[in-house]
Amino acid sequence: MYNFLDDLRWQIEAGIDEVISDSPLKFSENNIKKENKKTENTSSANLDQLKNFNDLYEYLANSIDCELKNISKNLNKIQGNLNSKIMIITNIPSPEEDKEGKVLVGKSYDLFINILSSINLSLDSICYTPIIPWKTPGERDLNEVEIDLLIPFIKKQIEIINPKILIFLGADPLKYILQKDDGILNSRGSFLNYKNNKSTIPCLPILAPDFLIRRPEYKRETWNDLIMLSEKIKELNLQ
């Protein structure tokens, strides 16, 4: 028998705060199996056919079926200068970022601007994108199906931009791109390497603005990381 209480509990956990239909939607076992099948098909899709961001986002919008897409208000896209060789990858979108369809909002955005300006960078001089385009319910971690489905798309974005420097703004890029689970505090302070089919790209983990707002005592560490980043930018003649 269909249990409406179970669906209500799922919606609360997912952070759903608006209705999209006057009648209840049934998330049956058959629907779940169907979604998993689509996920399997998508994860094996030939991403080489996606040559630019228009192709990539059209594919995400129209050819992918997953829970995260269904609970999100916006598909959060890459922003900034797409010709830049400095690429910033941020954490999974927060509910506020999902609502506005932007990378970083509010006080985090303001602090982000200050972080960039401290080393003579601006939003016009870099590109920045979230690790995935949609929020997760209750701001939880990605599950294995979602990792297999969505992480190839951020790797495809890196391939399209082909940056000289990657900046991981928060722990999620470390966890899902480099498979490092020891945390941002243990990983920050030195350059790591990201390898793709084209090259090896130096990447620098930096504490996310929302973390610094909660833990301002780590601003000194972040300043040291920014000095290291500035030196790498000069070394690679990117300014």
Side-chain angles (χ1 to χ4, degrees), residues 14-18 67-77 79 90-106 130 132-139:
I16 295 174
D17 55 9
E18 293 182 8
E67 173 195 5
L68 306 187
K69 177 181 177 180
N70 296 334
I71 68 167
S72 297
K73 291 181 174 65
N74 287 291
L75 192 157
N76 207 317
K77 301 179 180 180
Q79 299 173 39
T90 66
N91 285 331
I92 294 171
S94 67
E96 292 77 17
E97 290 167 338
D98 169 61
K99 184 177 181 180
E100 296 193 24
K102 295 181 179 179
V103 183
L104 301 176
V105 297
I132 62 170
W134 300 300
K135 69 176 182 178
T136 58
E139 300 188 76

Side-chain angles (χ1 to χ4, degrees), residues 49-83:
Q49 297 177 359
L50 307 178
K51 300 299 184 182
N52 54 54
F53 285 102
N54 287 335
D55 292 345
L56 187 144
Y57 288 125
E58 182 178 354
Y59 190 86
L60 283 168
N62 300 321
S63 302
I64 283 188
D65 221 0
C66 74
E67 173 195 5
L68 306 187
K69 177 181 177 180
N70 296 334
I71 68 167
S72 297
K73 291 181 174 65
N74 287 291
L75 192 157
N76 207 317
K77 301 179 180 180
I78 193 170
Q79 299 173 39
N81 182 357
L82 299 188
N83 294 317

Side-chain angles (χ1 to χ4, degrees), residues 25-40:
L25 301 176
K26 297 184 178 182
F27 296 92
S28 66
E29 184 177 349
N30 288 336
N31 285 340
I32 293 173
K33 289 181 179 178
K34 182 179 179 182
E35 180 174 319
N36 286 342
K37 184 62 176 177
K38 286 188 176 182
T39 297
E40 292 173 5

Side-chain angles (χ1 to χ4, degrees), residues 128-154:
Y128 49 106
T129 186
I131 181 77
I132 62 170
W134 300 300
K135 69 176 182 178
T136 58
E139 300 188 76
R140 64 161 171 77
D141 290 343
L142 300 179
N143 61 39
E144 290 300 323
V145 172
E146 293 158 353
I147 291 172
D148 291 342
L149 176 65
L150 297 176
I151 296 307
F153 287 95
I154 187 62

